[in-house]
Amino acid sequence: MKIKFGRLAALAVSLLACGTSTASAAPATANGQAALALAGVVALYSPLLTSDEREAVSALFVGQSGGRYAKKISVTADKIVCRVSNVDITARSCELTFKGAKQTITGRRASEIFATEAMAGVPPDGAAGSVFESISKLNCTLDPAEIRKKAGGGADCTFETGN
């Protein structure tokens, strides 16, 4: 069967135009308990937070709202990429980037980050025996005074998925 080059090129262009990529960035938000959880698992590794801020986030995350920290806390990360294998079921890791500095987390703690990203609505992406979740431009704001009211507010995150 002979296909003319023009038809083949047109077919290729139309297939490329119709294909969707999960690699494109999509803005997303998380609020309430999902936002507090996301900030809680990321804050542990952030070199951008003071020890008082890390301690306050940790206390809020585990339900200890009696702390004295009153200022709003901003938990940010440039990028977080988590990977679990569906072939080597023991393999799990996350690479967190803060202002260009990278940290790699493995094992149970990486699994906590991966699961929390999923809870916050980050869609998975698969490739060759692995499942990835990726976010960038994470910016979570925690208001300890609002969280202490126990009315569902005080934690908000914005991020982009699929990077």
Side-chain angles (χ1 to χ4, degrees):
M1 179 175 153
K2 227 178 187 182
I3 298 178
K4 292 185 178 182
F5 179 75
R7 283 187 178 172
L8 185 57
L11 176 62
V13 168
S14 66
L15 286 174
L16 285 173
C18 291
T20 60
S21 171
T22 58
S24 63
T29 61
N31 301 302
Q33 57 89 15
L36 178 58
L38 188 55
V41 297
V42 172
L44 233 130
Y45 307 102
S46 176
L48 308 176
L49 297 174
T50 67
S51 60
D52 286 345
E53 289 171 327
R54 261 194 302 283
E55 187 177 312
V57 173
S58 185
L60 290 167
F61 185 41
V62 298
Q64 298 173 353
S65 60
R68 294 185 183 161
Y69 200 89
K71 293 187 267 181
K72 289 184 180 182
I73 303 167
S74 182
V75 178
T76 63
D78 299 333
K79 191 169 190 175
I80 302 171
V81 179
C82 291
R83 174 191 173 273
V84 296
S85 175
N86 53 13
V87 176
D88 176 1
I89 62 171
T90 66
R92 59 197 81 256
S93 65
C94 293
E95 185 176 85
L96 293 84
T97 306
F98 303 95
K99 296 275 186 195
K102 293 183 181 182
Q103 292 186 45
T104 300
I105 311 302
T106 59
R108 179 185 57 81
R109 291 186 177 224
S111 189
E112 289 171 351
I113 296 170
F114 187 90
T116 305
E117 284 184 340
M119 181 178 68
V122 176
D125 192 11
S130 294
V131 178
F132 292 89
E133 289 176 349
S134 175
I135 64 175
S136 63
K137 300 178 184 174
L138 175 67
N139 187 358
C140 296
T141 302
L142 303 180
D143 183 346
E146 189 64 32
I147 293 170
R148 284 186 195 106
K149 292 179 183 177
K150 299 190 183 284
D156 299 288
C157 295
T158 60
F159 52 89
E160 291 183 0
T161 63
N163 293 334

